[in-house]
Amino acid sequence: MHRAFVAAIPPTDVVEHLEEFLSVRRDAAAYRWTLPDQWHVTLAFATDLPDRSLDDAVEHIARTAAKQPELTLGFVGGGAFPHPDRAKVLYADVAGGDTDRSDLEQLATTARAALNKAGAKVDGQRFRPHVTLARLGQPENVTRWIRVLDAYTGPSWTVTELALVESHLGEGPGRRPRYEVRETFPLGS
């Protein structure tokens, strides 16, 4: 079984811009900050993708991606899950730039359908486009951090491809997950 997700991965300059904004602020909180090279926008998440279904997943995602237009995205502001008063996750929000939010939601819906068709157990939670910045050990009020993030507007970028990423829990630095891009799929080809 594979733990995998379909994601839009921001380019290096977009990651560096957000990293520069956060780097001088991180020491103010003892959170478990995510590593910039792992930042991505998850479109579909599968807790269990059977080995026998991996080739099918690649085929279905490729077909799905080919039918979808390129999108313009950017990181603007932030938020917390499940709620700012009792947050366990701090995130940067995803803005659509020239892209209508419904286009991004449609892309997520089709990515979930592609994984589902391949036989994966797909997370059915409501789609909330974001990039996870930090995880908190205990629920905490992060209203102050959300105000800090609300001052952030990053550069936009064009999403030209999707990535199928495998997540290996506890195999990365500091026992974080290690992400392995298994395949990329051009949009609108």
Side-chain angles (χ1 to χ4, degrees):
M1 289 288 197
H2 300 271
R3 182 179 169 90
F5 56 89
V6 178
I9 300 175
T12 303
D13 61 321
V14 171
V15 169
E16 287 173 350
H17 193 273
L18 180 55
E19 169 60 13
E20 185 177 320
F21 177 82
L22 290 172
S23 66
V24 296
R25 295 166 173 85
R26 273 198 194 100
D27 290 342
Y31 302 151
R32 195 173 51 163
W33 294 94
T34 59
L35 301 174
D37 66 350
Q38 293 185 330
W39 289 345
H40 61 273
V41 179
T42 302
L43 300 168
F45 180 75
T47 53
D48 295 315
L49 175 61
D51 288 336
R52 70 184 184 291
S53 299
L54 191 57
D55 289 340
D56 286 344
V58 167
E59 182 181 319
H60 289 299
I61 297 165
R63 265 199 306 256
T64 293
K67 296 175 187 174
Q68 301 299 314
E70 294 181 350
L71 303 173
T72 302
L73 299 179
F75 299 129
V76 177
F81 295 128
H83 188 273
D85 286 336
R86 296 200 38 82
K88 296 211 56 141
V89 171
L90 183 66
Y91 65 83
D93 205 1
V94 175
D98 297 334
T99 301
D100 185 310
R101 184 86 167 211
S102 64
D103 291 339
L104 185 56
E105 290 171 359
Q106 176 63 31
L107 184 59
T109 299
T110 59
R112 286 179 181 189
L115 284 176
N116 195 4
K117 285 179 191 172
K121 182 178 175 186
V122 180
D123 180 323
Q125 292 185 21
R126 191 181 88 164
F127 176 64
R128 294 175 137 183
H130 69 281
V131 62
T132 300
L133 300 177
R135 290 182 170 75
L136 290 66
Q138 299 293 321
E140 185 177 317
N141 184 313
V142 294
T143 305
R144 182 177 59 92
W145 273 99
I146 292 172
R147 276 192 232 116
V148 169
L149 288 169
D150 282 346
Y152 180 76
T153 299
S156 61
W157 86 93
T158 301
V159 179
T160 60
E161 66 182 15
L162 301 181
L164 176 61
V165 182
E166 190 170 352
S167 175
H168 304 277
L169 295 179
E171 293 183 13
R175 304 208 25 91
R176 291 178 173 93
R178 177 178 61 83
Y179 296 147
E180 175 186 357
V181 175
R182 296 296 300 253
E183 190 91 31
T184 59
F185 311 92
L187 291 175
S189 60

